[in-house]
Amino acid sequence: QFNIVHYHWRCIEIEVENSKRVLERHDFISPADSDEQVKVKLAQKFRCSTEDMCNTCPFERGFVSNHKARFYLQWLDCKEQTKKNFYAGKGNKFNMDLNDFLKESYERSDV
């Protein structure tokens, strides 16, 4: 049996840039767009207002990479709260099932 596990832990600034690139590749936004233009374009996809999106938009509308759009909009609209939520629990919450799986896989490998 062969298993591949891919996981990473990046800082929020890298996640923001990665999300922005994905949204550009989907042609949802342009690299030349201002933050306000981005907010208008992405808010329309969620059928939300650009005013106080973090507290008023439910971000329930599904489309390709909607989680990237939601994250990027939240970064633009309420950066400090988004940063706080992103780092909440980092380093002290463990997925024990994943830990057990990785331990067992490691023990069976020649690594």
Side-chain angles (χ1 to χ4, degrees):
Q1 184 176 357
F2 181 72
N3 296 306
I4 296 175
V5 177
H6 173 88
Y7 61 96
H8 51 80
W9 189 358
R10 295 182 179 127
C11 67
I12 194 168
E13 291 81 7
I14 297 217
E15 288 296 340
V16 167
E17 283 304 311
N18 288 343
S19 294
K20 183 176 187 239
R21 282 192 207 110
V22 167
L23 298 169
E24 290 168 352
R25 283 194 301 265
H26 286 305
D27 290 323
F28 295 159
I29 62 174
S30 165
D33 288 343
S34 69
D35 287 351
E36 284 306 310
Q37 289 170 315
V38 167
K39 285 170 78 170
V40 167
K41 288 179 178 181
L42 296 180
Q44 287 174 347
K45 295 190 82 51
F46 287 106
R47 296 186 181 137
C48 291
S49 165
T50 59
E51 297 299 318
D52 194 22
M53 282 184 286
C54 289
N55 294 311
T56 62
C57 184
F59 298 107
E60 294 175 339
R61 190 144 183 261
F63 53 90
V64 173
S65 296
N66 65 329
H67 62 293
K68 299 282 188 189
R70 180 185 66 241
F71 177 71
Y72 195 59
L73 272 173
Q74 289 171 332
W75 174 258
L76 294 176
D77 192 56
C78 54
K79 191 173 289 184
E80 290 307 313
Q81 183 62 43
T82 302
K83 191 180 283 192
K84 181 181 174 188
N85 292 344
F86 183 84
Y87 289 114
K90 294 283 184 182
N92 62 11
K93 288 187 179 177
F94 298 101
N95 180 332
M96 292 312 293
D97 291 333
L98 177 60
N99 286 350
D100 292 343
F101 171 79
L102 292 174
K103 182 180 176 187
E104 184 180 322
S105 295
Y106 182 77
E107 289 170 351
R108 286 187 282 147
S109 70
D110 291 333
V111 179

